[in-house]
Amino acid sequence: MENSKSKDPLHGITLLQIVEQLVAHYGFDTLGELIKIKCFTDNPSVKSSLTFLRKTDWARKQVEELYVSSLPKFS
């Protein structure tokens, strides 16, 4: 049987890794402009962002979409 890699770019990536990479690349100010959610604009932190994103599917989806579209910029 062939070892095939998952085609899902989020496979094996945790939400923590996604948020940390986005914050490192964009910063909270730009993230707050790109995705209009309070956890990026009002007293932002990785911990508060993770808490909110774990409870809010629509926001997590937006963050994951930004991460996938930003992957080429991270290299």
Side-chain angles (χ1 to χ4, degrees):
M1 206 172 196
E2 218 178 284
N3 284 342
S4 59
K5 286 188 174 182
S6 173
K7 295 185 190 223
D8 180 4
L10 297 174
H11 181 79
I13 305 293
T14 65
L15 186 58
L16 174 63
Q17 291 170 314
I18 291 171
V19 171
E20 285 179 336
Q21 183 122 26
L22 289 172
V23 169
H25 185 74
Y26 292 109
F28 279 114
D29 290 339
T30 304
L31 273 178
E33 292 173 14
L34 294 171
I35 303 173
K36 305 272 192 264
I37 51 179
K38 278 188 175 183
C39 68
F40 293 151
T41 59
D42 295 348
N43 197 18
S45 72
V46 171
K47 184 178 178 183
S48 67
S49 299
L50 289 173
T51 301
F52 177 75
L53 294 171
R54 287 184 178 128
K55 295 178 184 176
T56 316
D57 290 339
W58 63 265
R60 181 179 180 142
K61 184 173 170 54
Q62 288 183 12
V63 169
E64 289 173 344
E65 288 171 356
L66 177 62
Y67 176 78
V68 170
S69 68
S70 299
L71 279 173
K73 298 176 186 176
F74 297 151
S75 301

